[in-house]
Amino acid sequence: MATNTGKRVALVTGGGSGIGRATAVRFAELGYSCVVADIDESSAKETLRMLQTPGIAVQVDVTKATSVEAMVTAAVQHFDCAFNGAGIAERATATIADTTEDEFDRVMGVNAKGVWLCLKYEIAQMLQQEPVMSDPAKWADKPDVCRFRGVRGSIVNASSIAAHYPTPMHAPYGASKWAVLGLTKTAAVEYAKEGIRVNAVCPGFVDTPMHHRNMEKLSPGEKEKTESWHPVGRIGAPEEVAEAVCWLCSDACPFTTGEHLKIAGGS
Ligand code: NAP
């Protein structure tokens, strides 16, 4: 699905685990150098060792402006793609009345504020970069596409299928993923004419450490229901999300911005 776009650089937050790790691996397979960023530097380094292309591992806390700014500075070698994948779920399920303020702030801090901070510093850096024509021959007979394609950069944010349905017992997580959709659409419109595309992926249940931690909170019956919730009858693999992220970042879709792509087995 994704196209090989040659020598480019991709920044991946949450790159030490799950969907972020699979996305860094796929970017590298497509020839991108990667900046693998995670709150846990050792897991980011572990991902880096799995890559076929050179890259760097960076420790980042996406809830802290100084940390995100430092990550972007470390990645400053003209990165033109970013996947903002860092995210967390609640420690335990709870109704709204039983959810603590601390838990709401914690989840919103990583999932919503974290994406906003990443957008803020990534976009500021992209705006300083000269537009790149990585494959001018492909669009030679379509000058309008060349003029308006995402030549400065492309950013994909991790939202969730939870932003398409109510999320009883998971209000902070659901709210944070709806917020990601709002940020995505707003950034897409604000920077469309600057050659920066911003899209979101909305995965269903995906087989990652986060999913396994969530499943441990459920009873066996609830767990079974969750696993078979998607019409295709299974949960997703992180590589299936990674493929869509890399496609959204590639030159294959210059007219695609502000989209929320569900990757959820028909849900
Ligand atoms: P994961 O395996 O837990 O990976 C998330 C990574 O983000 C972890 O390495 C985590 O580190 C890191 N992280 C947490 N807080 C951070 C912070 N403040 N700064 C930087 N990095 C931080 O989760 P995943 O399932 O791959 O999820 C990736 C994204 O997809 C998340 O945004 C998630 O909400 C979204 N998503 C997942 C699913 C699913 O079913 N798996 C479905 C829909 C959407 P620690 O492990 O040390 O906390």
Side-chain angles (χ1 to χ4, degrees):
M1 192 180 182
T3 56
N4 186 336
T5 46
K7 282 186 185 160
R8 293 171 60 169
V9 180
L11 169 62
V12 179
T13 73
S17 178
I19 294 169
R21 171 171 286 174
T23 302
V25 167
R26 187 63 185 134
F27 269 129
E29 285 170 359
L30 292 165
Y32 291 73
S33 301
C34 290
V35 179
V36 183
D38 202 283
I39 198 158
D40 177 0
E41 194 176 6
S42 63
S43 70
K45 284 184 173 158
E46 202 179 307
T47 299
L48 196 65
R49 286 193 286 276
M50 299 165 73
L51 307 186
Q52 300 171 357
T53 49
I56 55 168
V58 178
Q59 198 275 338
V60 69
D61 180 348
V62 297
T63 66
K64 305 271 187 305
T66 48
S67 180
V68 175
E69 192 176 13
M71 169 186 75
V72 169
T73 303
V76 83
Q77 297 308 320
H78 205 112
F79 71 94
D80 51 5
C81 299
F83 174 51
N84 297 322
I88 57 170
E90 296 91 353
R91 291 189 189 101
T93 54
T95 59
I96 288 178
D98 288 337
T99 299
T100 64
E101 183 181 0
D102 171 63
E103 191 66 343
F104 186 83
D105 287 346
R106 195 179 73 89
V107 174
M108 288 297 278
V110 177
N111 296 1
K113 183 185 173 191
V115 166
W116 169 70
L117 278 175
C118 287
L119 284 171
K120 177 178 164 67
Y121 288 101
E122 288 160 0
I123 288 170
Q125 174 56 34
M126 285 177 176
L127 288 172
Q128 290 177 39
Q129 296 173 178
E130 282 303 310
V132 172
M133 302 283 285
S134 65
D135 191 5
K138 181 173 175 184
W139 305 103
D141 62 337
K142 294 188 174 62
D144 274 356
V145 173
C146 280
R147 217 155 16 101
F148 293 113
R149 59 199 278 253
V151 287
R152 271 205 170 83
S154 177
I155 302 173
V156 177
N157 297 320
S159 179
S160 168
I161 195 72
H164 293 261
Y165 296 96
T167 53
M169 310 300 283
H170 298 276
Y173 187 81
S176 70
K177 294 303 182 181
W178 282 91
V180 170
L181 299 193
L183 288 166
T184 300
K185 281 231 180 264
T186 302
V189 170
E190 283 184 356
Y191 298 100
K193 291 216 167 54
E194 309 290 346
I196 299 172
R197 294 187 295 111
V198 188
N199 292 288
V201 286
C202 301
F205 298 110
V206 179
D207 190 3
T208 68
M210 176 191 280
H211 177 71
H212 289 285
R213 286 191 298 270
N214 286 341
M215 289 301 100
E216 279 163 20
K217 297 169 204 159
L218 302 179
S219 66
E222 287 173 318
K223 195 176 161 185
E224 220 166 84
K225 246 194 273 168
T226 302
E227 302 274 2
S228 61
W229 183 72
H230 301 297
V232 296
R234 65 171 176 86
I235 64 170
E239 292 78 9
E240 293 176 288
V241 181
E243 189 66 36
V245 173
C246 291
W247 177 73
L248 285 167
C249 281
S250 78
D251 284 349
C253 52
F255 205 44
T256 304
T257 193
E259 283 305 324
H260 306 150
L261 180 59
K262 280 194 285 168
I263 305 157
S267 297

